[in-house]
Amino acid sequence: MKRAIFPGSFDPITLGHVDIIERGVTLFDELVIAIGVNADKKYSFSLEERKRFIEETFKNEPKIKVVTYSGLTVNFCKEIDAQFILRGLRNPADFEFEKAIAHTNRKLSEIETVFLLTSSGKSYISSSIVRDVIRNNGDYTGLVPDAVRI
């Protein structure tokens, strides 16, 4: 079985994430959306809310599982027998950042990182932009899946 994880904080999940997940699920037998827990980070949405947003968004996709984890992503991959890490790239800066992480992960393990380019119509969307729009009472509904719309 080809199992991949798509790790992130998903604070909140955006249509950019959805784009990568919908396209990535076609490449693997199972796609585990792995919500990383970082005790040092302050989140806008609780872990339970973030998990619920994702589960609701993909409730009709049997190849997707949603879990939480802490620690190194490669260690979590080993725990669940995932051979791949799926990452989305929006721009050249994302590539440089993700490339360094992928090389480090490859040094630490046998896990391959698979990159997908975000569709052009969604490449500007990031969770930090969505949080800023929400904080300032802007209309964020075109940036997130229905499950996130408060």
Side-chain angles (χ1 to χ4, degrees):
M1 172 184 277
K2 290 189 299 184
R3 179 178 292 128
I5 72 162
F6 183 50
S9 59
F10 304 103
D11 187 33
I13 186 169
T14 70
L15 292 180
H17 294 127
V18 171
D19 174 59
I20 296 297
I21 293 164
E22 287 177 344
R23 292 169 39 232
V25 76
T26 67
L27 304 173
F28 304 102
D29 299 313
E30 182 177 79
L31 182 58
V32 178
I33 302 173
I35 306 169
V37 177
N38 181 342
D40 296 330
K41 191 170 178 182
K42 185 178 182 323
Y43 297 103
S44 294
F45 295 92
S46 72
L47 182 60
E48 295 75 25
E49 286 174 309
R50 291 180 281 145
K51 190 169 189 243
R52 188 179 74 245
F53 294 157
I54 299 167
E55 288 172 338
E56 177 66 22
T57 299
F58 296 103
K59 65 184 174 197
N60 295 320
E61 179 47 73
K63 290 172 58 175
I64 290 178
K65 290 186 179 176
V66 184
V67 299
T68 62
Y69 77 104
S70 59
L72 290 177
T73 301
V74 290
N75 290 345
F76 182 66
C77 287
K78 290 175 190 173
E79 284 177 33
I80 67 165
D81 194 29
Q83 305 87 10
F84 304 93
I85 297 172
L86 176 64
R87 298 300 294 160
L89 300 174
R90 294 171 299 182
N91 54 49
D94 278 357
F95 174 73
E96 290 301 325
F97 177 75
E98 294 291 346
K99 181 178 75 165
I101 294 171
H103 284 311
T104 303
N105 287 342
R106 188 76 175 127
K107 182 79 171 169
L108 298 173
S109 70
E110 295 296 312
I111 294 161
E112 290 287 354
T113 301
V114 176
F115 296 113
L116 289 179
L117 298 177
T118 305
S119 296
S120 62
K122 300 189 176 59
S123 63
Y124 66 94
I125 303 171
S126 70
S127 292
S128 57
I129 288 173
V130 171
R131 289 191 305 271
D132 193 46
V133 171
I134 291 170
R135 257 191 314 275
N136 291 287
N137 299 313
D139 181 5
Y140 62 93
T141 57
L143 306 173
V144 297
D146 289 344
V148 179
R149 297 175 186 164
I150 305 165

